[in-house]
Amino acid sequence: VKLSRQTAARSGTNDKVNQAYPIRAIEPAEFPAFYEVGYQAFNSGWPPEVGRELELLTFEFDRSAAAFDGEQIVGSACAYTFQLSVPGGVAAAGGISAVSVLPTRRRRGIMSGLIRHVLTDIGSRGEAIAILWASEPGIYGRFGFGCASEHLRYTIRRGEGALLPAVFTDKKAAPEISIGEPGRQLAAMAAVYASVAAARPGLPARDDRWWQAAVADPEVYREGASPLRCLIAADGDGPRGYALYSSRGKWDDGVPVGEVRVHELQATDQQAGAALWTDLLTRDLIGETHAWARPVDDPLREMLVDRRRARAQLADGLWVRLVDVPAALSQRRYAREVDVVIEVTDTVIPANAGRYRLQARAGGAATCAPTTAAAAVTATVQALGAGYLGGMRLGTLAAAGQVAEERPGALLELSAAMSWDPAPWCPFVF
Ligand SMILES: CC(C)(COP(=O)(O)OP(=O)(O)OC[C@H]1O[C@@H](n2cnc3c(N)ncnc32)[C@H](O)[C@@H]1OP(=O)(O)O)[C@@H](O)C(=O)NCCC(=O)NCCS
């Protein structure tokens, strides 16, 4: 109760809800009851002990938040300690997950209390950014999260995955492709992933626990597909790419219509990417290859003879919330020189609201500090979160009414400075 009152006092609202459903971190013995809330809320069907074991690989008890109705846990949330790649660098971020409320206790403000509680905790740990994947996009804007990355899903049918010959290729020789057991390829995958993350915003660094989670493959999650397999592209100097995939044999009137499911594919160079895709897109007995969560600027589409045949579908990926606006804005780099005063509105974390002067040289360290100078751009904290990783253009957000230009030219200046190449991408759900 003490904790929840503090939270209510800090957030300034929700006092009644937080007193009715106090929030605190759980002890290990309470984990099954905590897990049960999400198990019910997400309509999960697999045996709960399988999901619990998986969750515990990465769970941080001191970052959990459970809402209680008397003795019973009726709401859950947690956060992970992440190092997130951001434009030109890395920033500490709290990755929010397990947000659930028991179906019988919904729409009483319990989730709102939990999110405010977790955001306060993230801020008190000195993390300037909160990130999450949303089960539904309508939930998190009200808490100041903006959709900062998107991804593509492909369905590539038999015969439609031919690649163009590359015009310029790396001077290195084409890599060897081999099939490995994921659990034995962790070091190779980690090296490739770290190299990709160094250049592309949106990837949370994975430590051993997160690699164990990445290759965890309970049979009940496979839906009839093979165990997870790992394709490695390597040469004498080491690994250059990998793909985690599974496959499923299927026959329709004697015709082979199997499926390949690409869970994750990462490559450090053009040849390695092309070699991995060529292997996966030309497998025998396969009717369709499905790839989930590909970057919006995936080189694959530019390599396909017929890019339309990827049948790409766009979905929202990582949602970003700036918990400490000036700290977050100074922790990334900018593509162009920028000197703009931004007026920020934030109703959930009022300490963020105010005017800040953002200054940076192209690619150099940035400063962002409170100022009394006139605003050049006004933005909601959601809009700044959406633009933070460099993929969502501020001009679009201005056209959507979330950003306003107060000095002619300032919007374009800020938008061009915040944009980043390559596009942000988070390749896994946490
Ligand atoms: C989503 C969920 C956590 C909401 O919990 P809740 O305690 O009912 O939420 P609150 O009462 O705090 O709702 C706060 C506001 O969000 C809105 N909201 C809640 N769920 C929403 C949804 N799925 N889509 C859009 N808006 C939603 C509420 O209507 C309310 O709006 P208001 O302030 O204008 O009245 C709960 O319904 C749930 O567990 N759903 C299934 C699991 C899930 O999707 N979790 C999210 C994981 S990313």
Side-chain angles (χ1 to χ4, degrees):
V1 175
K2 194 171 151 235
L3 240 187
S4 79
R5 290 222 174 98
Q6 283 172 355
T7 306
R10 276 192 296 251
S11 60
T13 58
N14 263 17
D15 303 72
K16 281 191 185 140
V17 176
N18 283 333
Q19 277 164 23
Y21 305 99
I23 296 169
R24 65 163 169 82
I26 59 160
E27 300 291 333
E30 295 170 311
F31 186 72
F34 177 93
Y35 181 82
E36 180 66 17
V37 179
Y39 190 71
Q40 299 251 1
F42 278 91
N43 310 302
S44 309
W46 54 78
E49 56 278 11
V50 176
R52 287 204 296 262
E53 203 176 306
L54 253 181
E55 288 291 328
L56 284 172
L57 288 173
T58 52
F59 198 73
E60 299 176 39
F61 279 92
D62 63 324
R63 304 198 67 159
S64 63
F68 286 81
D69 185 351
E71 300 282 292
Q72 192 191 8
I73 299 179
V74 295
S76 67
C78 70
Y80 303 116
T81 308
F82 279 138
Q83 291 293 318
L84 180 73
S85 50
V86 298
V90 172
I96 300 178
S97 184
V99 177
S100 309
V101 170
L102 213 57
T104 48
R105 297 291 191 285
R106 286 169 306 135
R107 309 302 183 262
R108 301 176 188 191
I110 296 176
M111 169 188 65
S112 305
L114 286 163
I115 296 290
R116 286 170 184 271
H117 180 96
V118 175
L119 287 176
T120 302
D121 187 61
I122 287 173
S124 69
R125 288 166 188 266
E127 295 160 344
I129 305 157
I131 55 176
L132 56 76
W133 281 83
S135 62
E136 294 189 88
I139 304 178
Y140 292 103
R142 76 191 72 234
F143 302 112
F145 286 84
C147 174
S149 84
E150 294 180 300
H151 63 261
L152 300 172
R153 293 173 194 163
Y154 304 147
T155 302
I156 302 175
R157 295 187 186 153
R158 184 185 177 93
E160 296 184 349
L163 303 192
L164 293 161
V167 180
F168 307 105
T169 56
D170 203 289
K171 293 206 170 43
K172 289 191 273 188
E176 280 290 329
I177 301 288
S178 56
I179 298 176
E181 203 188 301
R184 293 176 177 273
Q185 299 297 334
L186 300 181
M189 291 193 288
V192 171
Y193 184 93
S195 149
V196 173
R200 190 186 277 281
L203 289 88
R206 279 169 162 159
D207 59 14
D208 290 348
R209 299 165 313 132
W210 283 99
W211 279 109
Q212 292 298 338
V215 299
D217 181 34
E219 194 171 347
V220 289
Y221 288 7
R222 290 183 201 153
E223 298 169 325
S226 71
L228 200 59
R229 292 182 175 128
C230 182
L231 210 53
I232 291 279
D235 61 20
D237 294 333
R240 289 163 51 188
Y242 67 86
L244 284 168
Y245 74 101
S246 61
S247 58
R248 186 177 182 195
K250 255 189 348 200
W251 300 82
D252 184 7
D253 291 335
V255 174
V257 291
E259 260 176 56
V260 168
R261 300 176 188 170
V262 183
H263 298 248
E264 185 172 324
L265 185 151
Q266 305 280 7
T268 58
D269 63 275
Q270 186 273 334
Q271 287 201 64
L276 289 166
W277 279 118
T278 299
D279 179 287
L280 291 166
L281 292 172
T282 59
R283 290 278 174 105
D284 291 333
L285 309 181
I286 295 302
E288 278 184 355
T289 301
H290 299 275
W292 182 89
R294 298 301 306 158
V296 289
D297 57 353
D298 192 352
L300 174 66
R301 289 199 298 161
E302 312 316 316
M303 293 193 284
L304 283 171
V305 170
D306 183 347
R307 69 199 310 283
R308 199 180 298 166
R309 302 276 168 166
R311 295 184 162 79
Q313 284 190 313
L314 190 64
D316 56 298
L318 211 58
W319 290 68
V320 170
R321 210 273 182 224
L322 305 189
V323 177
D324 179 335
V325 167
L329 290 179
S330 54
Q331 282 169 4
R332 56 156 288 182
R333 305 247 160 160
Y334 295 83
R336 307 272 175 86
E337 183 164 359
V338 61
D339 186 353
V340 168
V341 174
I342 311 169
E343 171 118 34
V344 181
T345 62
D346 189 339
T347 52
V348 176
I349 304 179
N352 265 333
R355 235 175 278 159
Y356 304 94
R357 181 172 180 190
L358 173 68
Q359 286 177 289
R361 287 187 182 282
T367 59
C368 185
T371 178
T372 51
V377 169
T378 305
T380 62
V381 76
Q382 288 96 301
L384 288 181
Y388 186 72
L389 295 178
M392 184 68 77
R393 285 162 194 268
L394 287 202
T396 305
L397 296 162
Q402 295 181 32
V403 176
E405 183 176 66
E406 314 293 347
R407 161 170 69 75
L411 179 63
L412 189 59
E413 181 186 339
L414 185 59
S415 183
M418 287 184 77
S419 295
W420 199 258
D421 196 7
W425 174 46
C426 184
F428 69 96
V429 176
F430 51 81

